[in-house]
Amino acid sequence: MKKSFEESLKELEEIVRQLEKGELSLDESIEMFQKGMVLSKDLSKMLDDMEKKVSILIEDEDGNIREENFVRTGDDKGGL
């Protein structure tokens, strides 16, 4: 079963906490780092997929509402 975005993010945050503590062996650290990289890639894909689904409802001058695709503006640092 595929994890939700929130579950994956929580797991990635826990991996970061464990790595930051510095209490893991080198082998454990490498394993956790690899797992974190996979989670990071999966989370990035989930965000990209969600962004493609987002649409904006816009009202024109005549009061008609139309749906448009979401267009991201700004830089790639999370700005919209």
Side-chain angles (χ1 to χ4, degrees), residues 18-79:
Q18 289 181 23
L19 289 171
E20 286 177 340
K21 283 183 182 179
E23 297 174 355
L24 301 173
S25 71
L26 180 59
D27 287 338
E28 291 171 322
S29 294
I30 290 171
E31 184 179 327
M32 295 300 282
F33 180 78
Q34 289 173 330
K35 189 174 182 180
M37 292 302 294
V38 169
L39 281 168
S40 177
K41 184 179 176 184
D42 290 346
L43 286 165
S44 180
K45 178 160 178 14
M46 283 185 219
L47 283 175
D48 287 343
D49 291 345
M50 285 181 222
E51 186 176 289
K52 290 175 187 173
K53 292 179 183 179
V54 173
S55 63
I56 302 172
L57 295 177
I58 298 178
E59 186 174 348
D60 64 18
E61 307 84 45
D62 298 325
N64 299 316
I65 296 179
R66 66 182 191 278
E67 186 175 325
E68 290 187 5
N69 289 333
F70 175 79
V71 178
R72 185 177 187 169
T73 59
D75 60 20
D76 285 314
K77 295 178 183 172

